[in-house]
Amino acid sequence: MTVAEMIKKTRTEANMTQGEYGAKFGVSRQTVSSWENGRSLPDLQMLIDICNTYHVSLDKLLSEDKEFVEKIDFYNKYKKAIRLVGMCLLAGLLIFAIVFINWKITERNMNQAFEMNAEKLGFVKGELYELEKDNVRYRLPNQKLPFLKKDFHVKNSYADFMIEDIEISISIYDGEDFAIEFNHFRSIKGCFDKDSNIEIMENTLNEKENIFYTENNEMIEDVLKQLLEIHKNVYRR
């Protein structure tokens, strides 16, 4: 006798409708109908309750219904797999939540620190942060910490000024490298050593521009050093 046959037999012998039988075990009429038609199965605990109620030998029933035993084994393995996947997903969500919360705290602190440092130096916030001082226009990008990153994508600073009819543009990249452009064309590139001394690595200036640079070296490097000081102050945490 199969489990489906046993359920139908015990119900009919008790002169109960499917609804009454279901109510006895806390399930719906549709569930009992599915059991009897073999479309679904009661779980093992429910089967034990049914067998105990109607004095049916569970051991004998399971020995006769091998298909039910196989399905129960499959469902148990399936449930374990689902439970494991659920636990992994939950653990993943918890880890992501912790990382996200930490990032949000870092984002708020870094964005606020950058804005406060820039404003303390006198920068005015617009599309960029800008400061006019001693005929030099200093500029900073409007920084926002990227999603789940620990630092800004780029940490650059800029200065623009004129000497005679030459436009000088200075850029500092990540506080280490710099470029001094003449009329947005040829340039001098270099880096700062650990003591913030200037080291020139590349010079593409023509002869006239090199003479001009030599004559105005002190002023140009003063602006470069001032920009470096701004850079250090604004990007400190």
Side-chain angles (χ1 to χ4, degrees), residues 17 24 39 41 46 51 62 64 115 119 132 146 156 170 184 192 197 205 208 221:
T17 65
K24 186 177 183 67
R39 290 194 300 270
L41 300 169
M46 180 66 73
C51 288
L62 294 180
E64 292 178 358
E115 186 171 349
E119 289 178 352
E132 292 280 349
N156 299 345
I170 300 177
H184 302 286
F192 302 101
N197 295 314
L205 303 181
K208 182 180 178 181
E221 292 195 357

Side-chain angles (χ1 to χ4, degrees), residues 21-219:
Y21 194 86
K24 186 177 183 67
F25 296 102
V27 297
S28 66
R29 180 193 67 78
Q30 291 83 356
T31 299
V32 175
S33 176
S34 293
W35 289 348
E36 292 182 357
N37 293 319
R39 290 194 300 270
S40 64
L41 300 169
D43 61 34
L44 190 56
Q45 185 57 55
M46 180 66 73
L47 184 60
I48 292 170
D49 292 343
I50 294 171
C51 288
N52 289 339
T53 301
Y54 294 105
H55 307 291
V56 176
S57 171
L58 180 62
D59 290 341
K60 183 179 179 182
L61 179 64
L62 294 180
S63 67
E64 292 178 358
D65 194 347
K66 299 294 185 183
E67 185 178 352
F68 176 84
V69 175
E70 290 175 357
K71 287 181 179 178
I72 286 290
D73 185 55
F74 170 78
Y75 287 141
N76 285 338
K77 290 179 179 177
Y78 179 76
K79 288 178 181 178
K80 287 181 181 178
I82 292 296
R83 191 179 298 114
L84 180 61
V85 170
M87 290 173 64
C88 290
L89 287 173
L90 180 60
L93 286 173
L94 287 173
I95 292 171
F96 177 79
I98 292 170
V99 171
F100 179 75
I101 290 170
N102 286 336
W103 174 78
K104 285 297 291 183
I105 294 171
T106 302
E107 178 203 31
R108 181 193 63 193
N109 292 341
M110 289 192 65
N111 290 349
Q112 287 181 351
F114 178 85
E115 186 171 349
M116 289 175 61
N117 292 339
E119 289 178 352
K120 283 180 181 178
L121 293 172
F123 281 85
V124 177
K125 184 178 180 180
E127 186 175 346
L128 297 172
Y129 284 88
E130 296 191 8
L131 169 66
E132 292 280 349
K133 183 179 179 182
D134 299 328
N135 295 320
V136 179
R137 182 165 65 105
Y138 298 95
R139 295 177 293 123
L140 300 168
N142 193 347
Q143 294 283 20
K144 296 293 180 184
L145 189 66
F147 185 61
L148 295 185
K149 298 293 184 181
K150 295 181 179 180
D151 207 348
F152 301 121
H153 275 315
V154 293
K155 292 191 285 188
N156 299 345
S157 305
Y158 311 97
D160 301 292
F161 59 103
M162 297 287 294
I163 300 178
E164 299 174 5
D165 61 343
I166 303 295
E167 184 177 355
I168 311 295
S169 298
I170 300 177
S171 302
I172 292 179
Y173 309 103
D174 293 324
E176 298 177 356
D177 302 316
F178 68 84
I180 305 171
E181 292 187 350
F182 286 63
N183 291 326
H184 302 286
F185 187 41
R186 285 177 285 269
S187 65
I188 293 173
K189 295 181 180 180
C191 62
F192 302 101
D193 64 18
K194 62 181 181 179
D195 297 318
S196 299
N197 295 314
I198 297 169
E199 294 184 2
I200 295 176
M201 311 295 289
E202 180 183 338
N203 185 338
T204 61
L205 303 181
N206 60 29
E207 183 178 355
K208 182 180 178 181
E209 289 167 337
N210 270 309
I211 293 172
F212 177 86
Y213 176 71
T214 300
E215 292 173 346
N216 296 277
N217 176 64
E218 184 176 350
M219 180 179 179

